[in-house]
Amino acid sequence: MAFSALATLRPILLAGLLFLTQSAWAELMLHPTRLVFDKNQRAAQIELINNGSTPATYRISLVNRRMTENGQFEAVDTAAPGEQFADPMLRYSPRQITLQPGSAQTVRVMLRKPAELADGEYRSHLQFELLPEAEGATSIETKAGGKDIGVVLNTLVGASVPVIVRHGATDATVRLSGLALAREGKQPLLALQFDREGNSSVYGDLAISFTPRGGKPQQLALVGGIAVYTPNRIRKAAVPLQAPGGTALAHGTIEVSYRDRPEAGGKVLAQASLELP
């Protein structure tokens, strides 16, 4: 079941995690936060729940978005080299939903692959736009916290769920590079870069720890659901670190691991470390 996270959020330097705060209309919960069609799968569904106190109407549409190097999304009409959109292959129902407080609705998404479809990954976004005063939408992947069984839209006027179609031979590798310790005011940050190769996106959780010389590892950050989408080769981020009280980030090693989501097996996708003098 999806869950609610109602903290006030703010932008972070260089981060691919876009934190937003706006006036609230309704509280919409979505599950799952992304759809992936793989192998012979031809149908999927998303559950919408109105946890607010007033009715809310959402128009649903398919849109195409491109991820920037900083992890934000921008609307696009024309595919770039290596970019493939999934919208011509997708059908969905219903097209508009009114949710009464406490009610739920299922949106069904169907896939129809054309003959002679080239191998690779195709992606579009299923957009949920709040009516009648919606002014835009944001990706549900751009959120805070290390858990994302669901997502809350308490402060957003819309959201878009990535819909990914993988066909034929697809693979990807990723490595972490450019690790550097920085600060935003008094907040320590770890800047890093994801370097992706292959014809498929990568998606996983990032864990950061610090081990002082002669000491034991201490967790500094856990961020769930970070993606690098095709055709992007790199994604840059700066992750806020929460050091245990009295711990100085010096004379030790920062270790970073990027893993598949637990439901995908939790396999290590990439690791890196930074020695601190």
Side-chain angles (χ1 to χ4, degrees):
M1 177 60 65
F3 70 94
S4 172
L6 304 182
T8 299
L9 307 173
R10 60 181 178 82
I12 294 177
L13 175 68
L14 293 180
L17 315 172
L18 178 60
F19 299 160
L20 300 179
T21 176
Q22 298 175 355
S23 60
W25 261 63
E27 191 174 284
L28 173 69
M29 298 166 66
L30 304 176
H31 175 71
T33 60
R34 54 189 254 138
L35 296 179
V36 179
F37 289 88
D38 204 354
K39 298 180 181 178
N40 295 321
Q41 184 179 354
R42 292 293 182 267
Q45 62 185 42
I46 297 176
E47 190 79 11
L48 290 77
I49 304 170
N50 181 2
N51 253 17
S53 58
T54 59
T57 298
Y58 287 85
R59 177 186 296 130
I60 306 170
S61 59
L62 279 168
V63 298
N64 292 316
R65 300 180 185 273
R66 181 174 300 143
M67 176 179 277
T68 69
E69 289 186 356
N70 289 338
Q72 300 181 23
F73 284 90
E74 56 188 19
V76 293
D77 296 320
T78 305
E83 189 173 41
Q84 302 179 111
F85 298 144
D87 58 313
M89 299 181 280
L90 299 172
R91 301 292 183 269
Y92 60 93
S93 179
R95 300 297 179 99
Q96 186 166 305
I97 293 174
T98 297
L99 292 173
Q100 299 298 322
S103 68
Q105 173 74 51
T106 297
V107 175
R108 292 176 173 81
V109 183
M110 287 70 69
L111 171 65
R112 295 179 180 176
K113 293 181 181 179
E116 307 301 327
L117 182 66
D119 288 1
E121 182 174 285
Y122 300 76
R123 174 176 49 86
S124 292
H125 293 245
L126 195 63
Q127 178 172 283
F128 300 84
E129 183 182 9
L130 177 63
L131 301 178
E133 297 183 1
E135 297 177 352
T138 185
S139 168
I140 62 171
E141 293 190 313
T142 58
K143 61 192 177 302
K147 303 177 181 178
D148 74 336
I149 298 174
V151 65
V152 66
L153 289 181
N154 184 59
T155 58
L156 303 184
V157 295
S160 64
V161 176
V163 183
I164 296 168
V165 177
R166 293 182 179 139
H167 178 72
T170 59
D171 64 1
T173 59
V174 62
R175 67 184 184 91
L176 303 173
S177 65
L179 274 63
L181 194 61
R183 285 190 176 274
E184 185 183 45
K186 295 183 179 181
Q187 175 76 65
L189 305 171
L190 182 68
L192 71 157
Q193 179 171 299
F194 298 80
D195 299 293
R196 186 197 63 84
E197 296 286 347
N199 66 347
S200 178
S201 61
V202 293
Y203 182 66
D205 298 340
L206 192 74
I208 303 174
S209 65
F210 173 68
T211 305
R213 291 171 190 164
K216 296 182 179 179
Q218 303 172 5
Q219 183 172 293
L220 299 180
L222 178 63
V223 184
I226 299 180
V228 187
Y229 288 122
T230 59
N232 296 55
R233 298 283 298 275
I234 67 173
R235 176 173 177 176
K236 300 176 182 178
V239 181
L241 305 178
Q242 298 294 333
T247 299
L249 296 181
H251 311 300
T253 304
I254 289 180
E255 298 174 327
V256 185
S257 66
Y258 182 51
R259 294 176 176 268
D260 273 335
R261 304 307 312 277
E263 61 269 23
K267 176 185 175 181
V268 175
L269 302 175
Q271 291 180 312
S273 62
L274 174 65
E275 295 293 333
L276 300 179

